[in-house]
Amino acid sequence: MSKFNLSDIYKAVVIGGSAGSFQGVTKILSQLPADFNLPIIMCLHRLKHVRNGFVEALCIKSIRPVNEPIDKESIKRGGIYLAPANYHLSVELGNSFSLSTEDMVNNSRPAIDITLETAAYVYRNKLVGILLSGANRDGALGMKRIKDRGGLTIVQEPSECMIDTMPNAALQLTQIDHVLKVDDIVNFLSELNKKYKQNAS
């Protein structure tokens, strides 16, 4: 695998995904280093009125609990967060979340673009954005915002995706830093964690 430029210390990882992304997300969450201490903020398209089952399925595989944050909840180091069903999830200055039931964006609520764009505004060049398999263009603009603000962008290799519309839309809209298979995304995050610890010590 190629060597990444990990000279910066990142503050958060944000992940977007839709149809076909569940397998990739569970692999990432199950293979993270046990001491991974950056918050992971996920916005995944899900059924609006099904409140139970999705988080539980993620928790079975994840190295630590997956939480659906409440409005104004603080973002903690090492926390794993998932946008609740039928709510937009935004990141706010002061390192907290906000929830809203505003109109759908890209026919979606939660909308990946909203989570990615607000995270880009708060974390700027200290953000890693990851976009996985999906069937619409939600997330493409959010990835552009991350790139424009100096963050690092990764999309899942389209040939590996169950549905490649979402990563391809991001690739068409902006210059993505890395196009990786899920196993290589896991390796990237592991290397990122090592670098983070070196800088923090």
Side-chain angles (χ1 to χ4, degrees):
M1 193 168 106
S2 61
K3 193 168 182 65
F4 295 104
N5 178 12
L6 298 175
S7 58
D8 286 337
I9 300 174
Y10 292 98
K11 301 292 187 185
V13 176
V14 63
I15 300 175
S18 185
S21 67
F22 185 82
Q23 183 177 4
V25 168
T26 54
K27 179 175 280 192
I28 291 169
L29 295 183
S30 67
Q31 297 184 17
L32 280 173
D35 60 351
F36 192 83
N37 54 12
L38 297 182
I40 296 177
I41 302 164
M42 301 184 296
C43 183
L44 307 175
H45 291 169
R46 49 193 297 198
L47 297 174
K48 296 177 184 178
H49 304 297
V50 178
R51 302 290 181 181
N52 299 316
F54 193 74
V55 174
E56 290 79 0
L58 289 175
C59 284
I60 289 171
K61 298 288 188 179
S62 180
I63 62 165
R64 62 175 65 96
V66 177
N67 302 303
E68 292 179 302
I70 61 173
D71 193 47
K72 308 307 178 188
E73 181 173 335
S74 295
I75 301 171
K76 295 180 173 60
R77 287 176 59 182
I80 300 177
Y81 303 97
L82 175 68
N86 211 25
Y87 285 91
H88 293 308
L89 179 69
S90 298
V91 178
E92 292 191 321
L93 293 171
N95 213 38
S96 65
F97 290 113
S98 68
L99 301 178
S100 73
T101 55
E102 295 169 354
D103 291 344
M104 292 191 295
V105 175
N106 297 314
N107 298 311
S108 304
R109 189 172 61 224
I112 298 168
D113 273 340
I114 288 178
T115 301
L116 269 56
E117 288 182 41
T118 57
Y121 181 79
V122 170
Y123 294 117
R124 303 179 70 86
N125 65 327
K126 304 299 186 183
L127 180 67
V128 176
I130 301 172
L131 193 62
L132 303 175
S133 174
N136 69 10
R137 298 181 62 85
D138 192 20
L141 185 58
M143 293 294 276
K144 184 178 189 303
R145 294 285 186 264
I146 294 172
K147 182 69 175 179
D148 290 347
R149 288 184 170 269
L152 188 142
T153 52
I154 300 170
V155 299
Q156 185 178 1
E157 167 60 53
S159 65
E160 184 187 57
C161 295
M162 182 181 297
I163 303 177
D164 61 10
T165 306
M166 193 172 283
N168 277 330
L171 287 166
Q172 292 165 9
L173 192 60
T174 192
Q175 184 66 45
I176 297 295
D177 294 300
H178 302 293
V179 181
L180 301 175
K181 294 184 177 181
V182 170
D183 285 340
D184 291 326
I185 295 174
V186 172
N187 291 337
F188 170 84
L189 293 174
S190 296
E191 290 299 315
L192 179 65
N193 192 57
K194 292 178 185 177
K195 190 68 175 181
Y196 184 89
K197 290 192 295 183
Q198 289 171 5
N199 281 274
S201 62

